[in-house]
Amino acid sequence: MEPMLAEPRGSPIVGRSRELGALLRVLDDGGPRVCFVYGMTGIGKSALLNEFGRVCRDRGTPVVSIDCRAIEPTERGLLDALHSAPTPGLDDADGRAPAVVTIDAYELFRIADPWLRQDWLPSAGRAVRLVVAGREPPMLEWAVERGRLGGLEVLPLGPLGDDEVDELLRVAGVDEPDAVAAIRKVGAGHPLALRLAVESWLAGGDLPAAAAIPRVLNALASSFRDGLDGPARRALDAASVVRRVTSGVLTAMLNEDADDALERLSGMSFVDAAADGLVLHDAVHLALAERLRSLDPDRFRSYRAAAWHHVRAQTHSAGVRELARSTADLLFLIDNPVVREAMFPTTAHHYSVEPARPEDLPAIRALWAEHDPPEGAAVLDRWADLAPHAVRVVRDRSGGVAGCSVTCEWRAIPLSLERDDPVVAAWLAHARRHPLPPGQRTLVHRRALAVGTGEAPGPVVATTMLDVKRDYFTMRPHLGRLYFAVADPEPLLPALVTLGFAPLERPVVVGDVAFHLAALDFGPESIDGWLANLAAAELGIPRSPLLDAGDRTVDVQGRRVRLSPLEFGVLEALHERSGKPVSRVDLLSIVWGTEYNGGSNVVDVVVRTLRRKLGTSAGRVETVRGVGYRLR
């Protein structure tokens, strides 16, 4: 596993004493059990949450802090995070002293909101308190159910007042009247803008004219960067390209030791030390990445390509928990708006998805009857009767039914639906003609409908697709195929093609509607291999040096060259870690197996024969003195 950085810094915050006091009320006997903090990006939610955690620990109250940027966005991801940091009080349902769970960046976990509210929190000990921070207020159902949950406090964060701004500037050492006035004007009470303005002024950058906060943040990020020396600018540019900064990925991008760069980055106030690496604040992250993309596209691409190679090498050696981080890292490198919107929606999270309850079914059946022919609605009714676990409801903020979907794993489909549903029958015929390798599993997304708009693209249907993404993570690394059905594929064609969906041979007619079917085969490496290939195609990276594991051949100057099992194993191991030195000891372990007791010179012998077969491409297998070999 790649070395990580320290836990988040715990320095006291300035100007949020009232809000901190409100959070601390969850520790009181008569206080609320749950508190939601929300506000725009950069307003200080994470800083407030970190300070709250520090005060709790100083008082002796156990705290588990979860950052949704660093976990798999599923129920399992949150439970794994809780179990990896066992805390007295969380495991004791009858504990008298409170214990606290804080959840940051909740917008990334919002799709699982009903599970957190209905399942996890009621099952947690009554002593457990929950403090959540995100960009949007909680779903209305939290307020409706506040009595059952043990009380609710909702805390919106707004700009700092003038006195608080002056205190922040005093703490930062800014006392020149002209600088104070300029920073107060441009920062407009926004904590991140104020910190950036202070750092930009200290670095010698020019402060922009006052404008809307997003434009101010962009200008301040560029101004601060321009005030740095060359090495610091390079480190910041590289950091803007990746989701999280670790020593390994920074070394890969800068092609030099990362210790100095990491130290420079960690001292910047808009860079936080999270559980899985350094993280730039979202607004600054975006501004710096867009600047680099516009002004130096070649360097932007080279950083992304180097990061891709590093992440791919990490993915191959990652454990189950680390896979979620590697997947998120790969997703961040994908620039295609279709893929990014599918996995990181920019729309507000106004909806949640959960298994349908019996009381939801009349509204859901009415939705099917409105948008599907009678024969189609009858088939979906059969799904509700025979496979109720597959029917999911989309709820709006008030808890009302905004839409529905029918999604489940193939092996959970009742056999009778293969006869009753022509769509399932067509999928089954395709699966028999194109069987998956042993151990791989199939997910089906049978229908998605929104109130008023049916299957037309929109926020409700997008929410159902985001819900399917949770299934991706839950079934990894065994998910091999996704089946999909839609009556009108035209609006979705660009996205389906980009994502790799292949249409089935012919539509299936249900009643008077022709449903178009498609299959997405993820490949032998499941979700991670699929995402890596999407990113590689976008970056212009060959999916492989045309290695074919089936016949152990490699493409050399357009011709197929057959390799011995050991030659192929060495080349494959080097390719999976492209650009990184691989020691002879590691090659022995990977290719020969951990039980091999022979000398390491056997690696050199195999590399010599491999190079002969590679001919004019032999130079790609480089010798790294004192270490081993590297593929470039």
Side-chain angles (χ1 to χ4, degrees), residues 313-464:
Q314 290 297 118
T315 300
H316 282 99
S317 60
V320 174
R321 289 183 179 175
E322 286 75 34
L323 265 179
R325 292 168 174 161
S326 297
T327 302
D329 292 339
L330 278 171
L331 277 168
F332 197 89
L333 293 173
I334 295 175
D335 224 16
N336 188 293
V338 170
V339 182
R340 289 193 64 81
E341 189 62 23
M343 307 301 273
F344 291 121
T346 55
T347 53
H349 298 256
H350 294 303
Y351 305 96
S352 62
V353 182
E354 62 180 287
R357 307 171 194 164
E359 58 266 31
D360 298 321
L361 290 180
I364 291 173
R365 292 181 192 271
L367 190 55
W368 292 336
E370 178 184 356
H371 294 284
D372 280 2
E375 297 86 350
V379 168
L380 294 175
D381 283 340
R382 291 286 287 164
W383 273 89
D385 294 336
L386 298 174
H389 56 273
V391 182
R392 304 176 185 181
V393 62
V394 183
R395 299 196 188 281
D396 58 22
R397 285 195 182 277
S398 68
V401 175
C404 67
S405 69
V406 178
T407 304
C408 74
E409 191 176 345
W410 181 271
R411 61 188 183 183
I413 301 175
L415 291 177
S416 59
L417 280 174
E418 297 173 5
R419 178 190 67 247
D420 297 338
D421 188 347
V423 170
V424 175
W427 286 338
L428 177 61
H430 178 271
R432 286 172 174 165
R433 292 192 303 272
H434 307 280
L436 288 174
Q440 287 202 332
R441 290 148 57 186
T442 298
L443 180 70
V444 304
H445 188 56
R446 173 61 178 84
R447 201 73 174 112
L449 293 170
V451 171
T453 57
E455 69 172 20
V460 173
V461 171
T463 299
T464 67

Side-chain angles (χ1 to χ4, degrees), residues 175-304:
D175 52 10
E176 296 181 16
D178 290 345
V180 169
I183 292 172
R184 283 184 59 176
K185 182 178 180 181
V186 74
H190 186 277
L192 177 60
L194 289 165
R195 293 202 308 271
L196 266 175
V198 169
E199 294 206 0
S200 181
W201 177 73
L202 292 173
D206 296 325
L207 297 183
I213 286 297
R215 290 175 55 195
V216 164
L217 291 173
N218 286 353
L220 284 170
S222 295
S223 175
F224 170 68
R225 178 198 174 279
D226 292 343
L228 300 174
D229 61 21
R233 285 198 299 270
R234 286 194 298 275
L236 195 54
D237 286 344
S240 74
V241 169
V242 293
R243 181 185 73 91
R244 61 187 176 115
V245 183
T246 61
S247 57
V249 75
L250 206 55
T251 298
M253 288 189 291
L254 298 177
N255 200 27
E256 61 187 40
D257 185 81
D259 288 347
D260 183 60
L262 282 172
E263 185 175 353
R264 288 170 178 266
L265 289 170
S266 63
M268 299 176 186
S269 66
F270 52 84
V271 178
D272 293 322
D276 62 345
L278 290 180
V279 179
L280 272 65
H281 194 286
D282 289 350
V284 180
H285 210 158
L286 178 62
L288 292 172
E290 288 301 319
R291 180 192 183 282
L292 183 61
R293 183 207 311 269
S294 299
L295 299 182
D296 198 343
D298 290 340
R299 190 154 58 98
F300 181 74
R301 279 193 299 271
S302 71
Y303 282 162
R304 290 170 68 213

